Amino acid sequence: INGVGSDLNFAIRGMKDSGVVGEGQTISYQVDGTYIPSSRALWGSSITSTWDLEQIEVLRGPQSTQQGQNAMAGAINVRTKDPIFEEEYKFRADYASFNEKKLATAINIPLNENWAFRLAGEYASNDGDIKHITTGDDVGKGETKYL
């Protein structure tokens, strides 16, 4: 991941996801085989959360023949954990400066010998790290939810 602030983006082998001149996407993002547009890949999808992931693949170089259009620089494939046939419960809670809070949970329940159920989710919020001196508002305040 390259960049600062709102100009945050992925780059593979020096090529940004927005293309050489800012036109067209050059990196394909997929979560469990589903294409995610680049604007959603960085903000508001499970590609930005590493909670309950099985694997992340970074494929360098042109990948358009196997990953579809918009993969001239490469592809990033994320695979979440599949259900397993034993009970599993995970929970994580974090608290940091600027009132940053993160809560995450994952539950795996076998239903019978052929079916299992898995649910994972994450919630994060913060008050922002900059206070606007004129309005008193917190800048960078945010909240994200993943399910």
Side-chain angles (χ1 to χ4, degrees), residues 18 23 27 34 44 53 55 59 67 69 72 78 91 111 145:
S18 59
E23 297 295 326
I27 298 174
T34 302
L53 292 184
Q55 178 178 344
L59 307 172
Q67 302 295 321
Q69 66 180 12
M72 288 304 294
V78 175
F91 180 77
L111 301 175
K145 301 171 191 169

Side-chain angles (χ1 to χ4, degrees), residues 15 20 23-24 46-48 55-56 58 72 75 77-79 91 100 102 109 123 129 138-139 141 143 145:
M15 186 178 265
V20 179
E23 297 295 326
S46 57
I47 199 168
T48 58
Q55 178 178 344
I56 298 176
V58 178
M72 288 304 294
N77 297 329
V78 175
R79 196 175 88 203
F91 180 77
E100 182 178 0
K102 287 185 181 180
I109 301 171
Y123 169 82
D129 55 352
D138 289 322
V139 179
K141 185 174 185 173
E143 180 177 76
K145 301 171 191 169

Side-chain angles (χ1 to χ4, degrees), residues 79-99:
R79 196 175 88 203
T80 59
K81 284 190 178 180
D82 291 330
I84 56 175
F85 291 98
E86 54 189 65
E87 285 191 25
E88 180 182 33
Y89 303 95
K90 298 190 308 184
F91 180 77
R92 181 183 75 195
D94 298 330
Y95 184 79
S97 55
F98 306 111
N99 201 28

